[in-house]
Amino acid sequence: MTGLDWAMIVALLLFSLAVGLLVKDKASEGGMEGFFVAGRKMRWWFLGTSIVATTFASDTPLAITGWIAQYGIAGNWFWWSEVIAAVAMTVFFARKWRNSGVVTDVEIAELRYGGAQATVLRTVKASVFSTFVNCIILGWVFAGMAKISEPFMHWEALLGPGIYSFIEAWYPESLMFQTLDNSITIVLLLMVTLFYSTLGGLRAVMITDLVQFILAMSMSILVAYLAVQHVGGLESMWGQLDTLYPADADSEFLSAERVASFAPAFGEGVTGSLGIPFTAFVLTLGVMWWTSGKVDGSGYIAQRLYSAEDGGQAEKGALWYAFANFMMRSWPWAIAGVAALVIYPRAEVTQVAQDFTNCLQDASYCTAQIATCMDNRYACEISEYALLYKDVDASGNTVFLEDRERGYPAMIRDVMPVGLLGLALASLMAAFMSTVSTHINWGASYIANDFYKRFFDPNASDRRMTWVGRLSTLGIALVSAWVATFIDNIGSMWELYGGMMAGLGLPHLMRWFWWRANAWTEISGMVIGLSLATINFAVGQTSGYGEGQMSIFPAFMASHAVHVIAWISLAAGIGSLITTFLTRPVDESILEEFARRVRPMGFWNGHNHGYSSERGLLASVVYWCTGTVSIYAGMFGIGYLLKLNYALGFGLLALSIVALVITVHGINAVDRGAGDQA
């Protein structure tokens, strides 16, 4: 890292601070409308880019680099399956969120259901989302940022031994992210993020999101390009991959053919390149996307949608997010992950890990280079050392193990030239701040709108609500950072989060599509999902499961986390339906007001009181299909071009364009006044 590299990082931080100062007055106008939904004046490209920037977390390229080593390119189906949900959210729900006029997604409960039970639902969901959900997500993000900063941010050299020792003596253990160097980096970035998001609200978050996304996307493309050039170009990379990872049944590593495949390989006795059974893969594509509580865009995505200028801008923004998120983001990371397998061959990294382990256990194995690395990782000349971490084996011995996720920051260090190295690191810091700023602003919106204004001061002035929003932002950030330090097993937290959200998928769909759904529909689904997920997590963390089991469900029912979440979804869905029929329907006056504001589509049997949807259900299904085809065709078209299969690649891109034109024409028909009813 040279002076030019550091200048790039400082420039990013100063820009973020300046945005907060420039828009703080705008954020103070209109109370919560100004602070949390940016005055509802955002254009489609602005709000769509902001959603993408939030999902573009700093940990994501690391996770994908790890998946490709373990599962191949097909490992991306863990998130590629979300294309179906993203397009469904666009055509069925984006316009409805904007029409609702709410400030938070949980506020929709009282608009849709009314009564005391709706108030309870709103309050409980706000509590869970503002704290626990944020802590899970930010815990993952902080862990990713720690891995990124570790090879670069040597604070003792930057600050000097005296200042560093002073900080070390006074720094609280309760805010320690693995090492002091990592902790200083994360706290500094968190302070900058807090400054601009607290002063400028959602407007500042979205402005910085736009710049941060452009920077992060450009740098991810550049990292992939330079990594491929580092190994001699695409043709050379695929050739070296074949040589390094032959189809050897005795090899502990994935073969080149499996690494390069876009689809999982299943067969008798084969788990598949996703590392999951065939049934779990089918559930991922056919069930998981619609049983998640996020299926309708609930959460921070909805916050962007009701910041739109109108319903049409919300729909186009959601569609832009779907394209940018899957077509643009997939391949720079995927190709960089493949290049990392060539730059740092797994066999060589494994051998280096063994050499360092031997050194720990017997000093006679320690070479001068190994000793230097273990004494000061920033002076280490063994490039593979950046992919290692310490752990304790079953016998209690300290060992070094390979962590392929660390290959991404290591590759940045090794392939980026002076100046661009700092810019690449700044881009990942930007991705980190974008995600954190969204989540703390989103969490604070619940505190201000669904607690303070709802229960304590319904007539609070705009000025007071702006300050409540700012203080809530600060509080959410501090609580999330503190709780995140306790999260050491992201996998188990993901399973807990997935199980909790699984109880809300069907109820969320029912509230938009079916007049008969009521507050108890969502309450029962939420309680069942939350209870089963929490019990499953608690048993796993304490007494453990039975022999051969990986959850509270019998082994024949669940052999993978996807199975567990699917069973929770089924139980919660059945419970929601039974509860719906056993409880009273929503009052007609409340249904009429909801229909007037939202104009829902689906099965309302006259209970929408003549307020029909701007676009019919059948037409929306058609555009859902064409939009999904367009994204998948475009995504795989780019993929085949990168694999040098030009005929198939260009053919899929042509299909993508045709399907996109049909989709855009269809969603624009509403705003042209065509009606497009079905």
Side-chain angles (χ1 to χ4, degrees), residues 216-475:
M217 193 72 238
S218 300
M219 284 300 101
S220 66
I221 293 172
L222 185 59
V223 169
Y225 172 78
L226 292 176
V228 170
Q229 294 307 305
H230 187 79
V231 297
L234 283 172
E235 187 173 0
S236 175
M237 182 187 74
W238 297 117
Q240 291 181 63
L241 192 73
D242 287 334
T243 302
L244 290 168
Y245 303 96
D248 185 352
D250 296 327
S251 175
E252 60 181 308
F253 308 124
L254 209 62
S255 69
E257 181 181 1
R258 294 279 292 279
V259 169
S261 176
F262 296 167
F266 297 105
E268 187 176 351
V270 177
T271 301
S273 59
L274 270 179
I276 65 176
F278 178 71
T279 52
F281 180 65
V282 171
L283 288 171
T284 300
L285 284 180
V287 176
M288 295 288 286
W289 65 268
W290 64 267
T291 58
S292 168
K294 300 182 298 181
V295 63
D296 64 341
S298 293
Y300 68 86
I301 294 178
Q303 186 187 34
R304 299 303 192 273
L305 297 176
Y306 39 70
S307 73
E309 191 175 63
D310 54 44
Q313 293 296 316
E315 277 193 333
K316 288 190 278 288
L319 186 63
W320 163 238
Y321 149 69
F323 270 85
N325 190 54
F326 298 100
M327 281 184 61
M328 290 179 61
R329 293 200 315 160
S330 294
W331 293 108
W333 293 338
I335 292 301
V338 174
L341 288 173
V342 176
I343 296 172
Y344 313 108
R346 299 201 66 183
E348 293 182 15
V349 176
T350 301
Q351 183 58 55
V352 171
Q354 185 60 55
D355 293 342
F356 275 84
T357 299
N358 292 339
C359 176
L360 279 178
Q361 298 171 356
D362 186 344
S364 64
Y365 286 96
C366 297
T367 65
Q369 281 188 319
I370 290 177
T372 298
C373 293
M374 295 178 68
D375 182 58
N376 182 359
R377 70 180 303 117
Y378 302 103
C380 182
E381 296 181 354
I382 303 175
S383 60
E384 291 83 3
Y385 182 65
L387 278 70
L388 305 183
Y389 72 100
K390 285 183 181 179
D391 201 357
V392 178
D393 64 14
S395 302
N397 298 317
T398 301
V399 296
F400 279 91
L401 298 175
E402 176 193 43
D403 180 0
R404 291 307 303 192
E405 291 184 356
R406 297 171 188 258
Y408 195 82
M411 194 160 52
I412 290 176
R413 179 201 62 190
D414 292 339
V415 306
M416 298 295 282
V418 172
L420 289 180
L421 175 59
L423 197 58
L425 184 56
S427 73
L428 292 173
M429 290 179 173
F432 170 81
M433 291 192 294
S434 173
T435 302
V436 172
S437 64
T438 285
H439 282 281
I440 60 178
N441 181 272
W442 168 52
S445 70
Y446 294 131
I447 303 299
N449 185 62
D450 302 298
F451 287 102
Y452 185 84
K453 186 176 179 65
R454 177 66 179 80
F455 296 108
F456 297 104
D457 193 354
N459 299 314
S461 66
D462 288 349
R463 179 180 174 82
R464 178 180 290 271
M465 288 312 304
T466 299
W467 277 105
V468 170
R470 285 171 174 159
L471 292 174
S472 300
T473 300
L474 176 62

Side-chain angles (χ1 to χ4, degrees), residues 484-523:
T485 61
F486 295 95
I487 298 177
D488 56 3
N489 189 328
I490 299 299
S492 63
M493 298 305 292
W494 175 84
E495 293 171 20
L496 173 60
Y497 170 66
M500 290 175 59
M501 296 300 289
L504 288 170
L506 183 59
H508 279 184
L509 292 174
M510 290 165 65
R511 73 180 174 193
W512 296 104
F513 285 122
W514 189 31
W515 73 273
R516 188 61 178 79
N518 57 38
W520 294 111
T521 305
E522 289 194 39
I523 291 173

Side-chain angles (χ1 to χ4, degrees), residues 569-584:
S569 300
L570 179 62
I574 292 174
S576 295
L577 286 170
I578 293 174
T579 303
T580 300
F581 286 112
L582 292 178
T583 52
R584 295 179 58 185

